[in-house]
Amino acid sequence: MRKQTSFYIHGSSIAEQTRLSQLNDLLNQEYFDEVSFGLEYERVLDVGSGLGHIARLFKRNAKKATVIGIERDEVQIKSACKHHDHDVFPVNYLQGDIQKLKLVDDLTESFDVVHSRFLLEHINKPLKAIQTMVQLTRPGGQIILADDDHSIFRVFPEISGFELLWKAYEKSYINRGNDPYIGKKLVHLLQKAGIKPVRNGFTFFGGCAGSLRFEGTVRNLVEVLRGAREAILDTNMLSDSDLIDTLTNIEIWSKNNNSSIWYPINYAVGVKPISQSV
């Protein structure tokens, strides 16, 4: 099958924005505490900032810092800006595509931290995007990348039809020139972009029946797959009825008191060499 143009397969509908907000509620504080360990910053750039949740978290943790979010989707920018009006410590947002961003002097080498999460898996030129991030980072500054490796998603007990559906979901990325396994390549990509990797790890995103976040984690899983329905069906690996049946099976499975989801989010941190300049 010929690869299609890269794009965010989940779209930016109200339902998707709700899902993303709930996902951020589940993940963000634990994630931020992990990846920002020891960070000191005055200027932060969040690339692929979406609804602005992580950008605002950076701002709340360094109130005097300048925090800018860059997002390609105009709908998401508008939603993020709604929060801007109510935040005591607001974030600035710019609309732009990191793969096509034209750098200006006041942005080049100006950021102490450049951060990106859940972006690289949705674009077909991830190295180019990281190279642009490098240009935006001051010498001695840090780049933080976090993304998925969908191959390490596990559920137990097994759910009827789930393995095939998940494989089709992964294939929907590949068909668009994207990489559903890019999480395991983050250190390699940092090094290839001229950045010295200094740390990598996982933030756990899963849960088990009885845990406080299990219901929300299952809901996110179902909505991710439902939202990617057209892209999944385009793979011709399963029928619409197969997809619907499997989503129903997930809902039933989630009611069992021994059900569990095992899924880490990969991250890597690198430092731009002092001697490196644009």
Side-chain angles (χ1 to χ4, degrees):
M1 180 177 180
R2 183 175 61 86
K3 290 181 180 179
Q4 303 177 31
T5 302
S6 174
F7 64 94
Y8 182 61
I9 64 175
H10 302 293
S12 54
S13 66
I14 295 298
E16 173 61 10
Q17 290 189 34
T18 299
R19 181 192 74 80
L20 286 173
S21 292
Q22 293 171 343
L23 173 64
N24 278 274
D25 289 343
L26 289 169
L27 278 179
N28 282 3
Q29 192 60 60
E30 181 179 344
Y31 167 79
F32 183 85
D33 291 344
E34 175 74 20
V35 303
S36 68
F37 180 76
L39 276 184
E40 295 183 4
Y41 51 87
E42 295 179 359
R43 285 177 59 82
V44 176
L45 180 68
D46 186 28
V47 181
S49 54
L51 302 175
H53 292 86
I54 287 291
R56 293 196 298 275
L57 198 49
F58 270 104
K59 182 67 175 179
R60 288 198 297 271
N61 281 270
K63 298 176 179 60
K64 294 183 179 180
T66 297
V67 180
I68 298 175
I70 291 183
E71 169 59 40
R72 178 173 61 179
D73 191 313
E74 184 178 2
V75 175
Q76 300 228 56
I77 285 283
K78 288 180 178 178
S79 295
C81 286
K82 290 180 181 178
H83 292 281
H84 178 103
D85 295 336
H86 301 290
D87 282 345
V88 176
F89 304 102
V91 172
N92 298 314
Y93 297 100
L94 301 174
Q95 185 177 4
D97 185 339
I98 192 65
Q99 297 178 102
K100 304 174 183 177
L101 194 65
K102 294 182 179 179
L103 301 182
V104 293
D105 289 342
D106 62 342
L107 292 181
T108 301
E109 291 198 333
S110 69
F111 292 97
D112 304 300
V113 177
V114 176
H115 169 270
S116 177
R117 186 180 74 173
F118 301 149
L119 170 71
L120 300 177
E121 64 184 297
H122 296 294
I123 60 179
N124 53 26
K125 296 180 180 178
L127 180 58
K128 182 178 180 179
I130 297 170
Q131 288 169 334
T132 302
M133 294 181 207
V134 173
Q135 291 180 285
L136 292 162
T137 307
R138 67 164 176 79
Q142 295 196 17
I143 293 180
I144 303 171
L145 305 176
D147 233 304
D148 292 305
D149 175 2
H150 288 87
S151 68
I152 54 180
F153 191 100
R154 296 289 186 273
V155 297
F156 196 82
E158 305 299 334
I159 304 168
S160 178
F162 181 78
E163 184 175 357
L164 177 60
L165 175 54
W166 194 253
K167 288 294 184 184
Y169 180 56
E170 294 174 345
K171 186 70 182 306
S172 73
Y173 279 73
I174 296 168
N175 284 351
R176 284 157 176 77
N178 301 336
D179 188 349
Y181 315 117
I182 201 164
K184 64 185 176 185
K185 305 172 185 177
L186 297 178
V187 169
H188 170 74
L189 287 167
L190 283 173
Q191 189 278 329
K192 199 168 182 179
I195 293 296
K196 178 184 177 182
V198 295
R199 188 159 57 94
N200 71 310
F202 294 118
T203 298
F204 183 66
F205 180 46
C208 64
S211 67
L212 293 176
R213 66 181 186 181
F214 185 63
E215 181 180 349
T217 304
V218 172
R219 182 170 59 248
N220 180 75
L221 172 61
V222 170
E223 293 306 318
V224 160
L225 295 170
R226 183 176 287 128
R229 173 180 168 274
E230 290 186 14
I232 290 171
L233 295 179
D234 281 348
T235 67
N236 296 315
M237 292 178 64
L238 73 172
S239 68
D240 196 20
S241 61
D242 292 332
L243 191 155
I244 293 170
D245 288 346
T246 303
L247 294 180
T248 300
N249 292 340
I250 295 172
E251 299 276 13
I252 295 171
W253 166 90
S254 70
K255 307 303 180 185
N256 298 331
N257 60 13
N258 64 340
S259 296
S260 57
I261 293 175
W262 306 82
Y263 191 43
I265 296 165
N266 306 46
Y267 75 86
V269 181
V271 175
K272 182 172 180 176
I274 297 293
S275 60
Q276 181 172 343
S277 61
V278 178

